[in-house]
Amino acid sequence: MKKNNIKSDLLKYKKINYRVELIPDNRDGGFVAVIPDLPGCISQGETEEEALKMIAEAKVLWIEEELKRGRTIPLPREKYSGKFIVRVPKTLHERLSLEAEREGVSLNTEVISILERGFVRA
């Protein structure tokens, strides 16, 4: 890839907002910053602010290196709309609908309630 293309592509990708995860470093103190959509793009800092500054620099270096290698830069994952469609057996649909009716709520509200109660974080 030509240097001019790398520079223009780098400018384009620098403007993209990637999600950053800040993780407290319980062992050494400070914070680890990761951009999940850019595999291996990680940095750290003593404070949240420093970690965010460092990950911004790491992002640019990561993208620049990938462009030099001729690799495709992944775009951020889509934002979640909060809406998805699930197909269930008719018998389950019936049971859920009857339970929602007994509770006096919509089917949607009943399913959300069940999901929230059953969702366990590891």
Side-chain angles (χ1 to χ4, degrees), residues 5-36:
N5 288 347
I6 290 175
K7 283 185 180 182
S8 64
D9 285 347
L10 183 58
L11 287 174
K12 177 179 78 172
Y13 285 109
K14 278 174 61 174
K15 294 177 184 176
I16 297 174
N17 288 322
Y18 286 89
R19 182 174 59 89
V20 174
E21 291 181 2
L22 275 178
I23 306 158
D25 186 349
N26 296 326
R27 190 179 56 180
D28 296 329
F31 292 87
V32 175
V34 178
I35 299 178

Side-chain angles (χ1 to χ4, degrees), residues 58-81:
K59 171 187 158 187
V60 173
L61 294 171
W62 189 97
I63 291 169
E64 185 175 32
E65 185 61 31
E66 293 298 295
L67 289 172
K68 285 179 184 176
R69 293 178 182 194
R71 296 185 179 156
T72 302
I73 308 301
L75 295 174
R77 286 180 244 166
E78 291 184 35
K79 301 212 183 315
Y80 301 103
S81 68

Side-chain angles (χ1 to χ4, degrees), residues 20 33-35 41-43 50-59:
V20 174
V34 178
I35 299 178
C41 187
I42 184 169
S43 192
E50 183 181 7
L52 289 171
K53 179 182 176 193
M54 297 303 290
I55 196 66
E57 292 175 17
K59 171 187 158 187

Side-chain angles (χ1 to χ4, degrees), residues 78-86 108 111-112 115:
E78 291 184 35
K79 301 212 183 315
Y80 301 103
S81 68
K83 179 181 177 181
F84 64 96
I85 298 172
V86 178
N108 188 60
V111 170
I112 289 170
L115 287 171

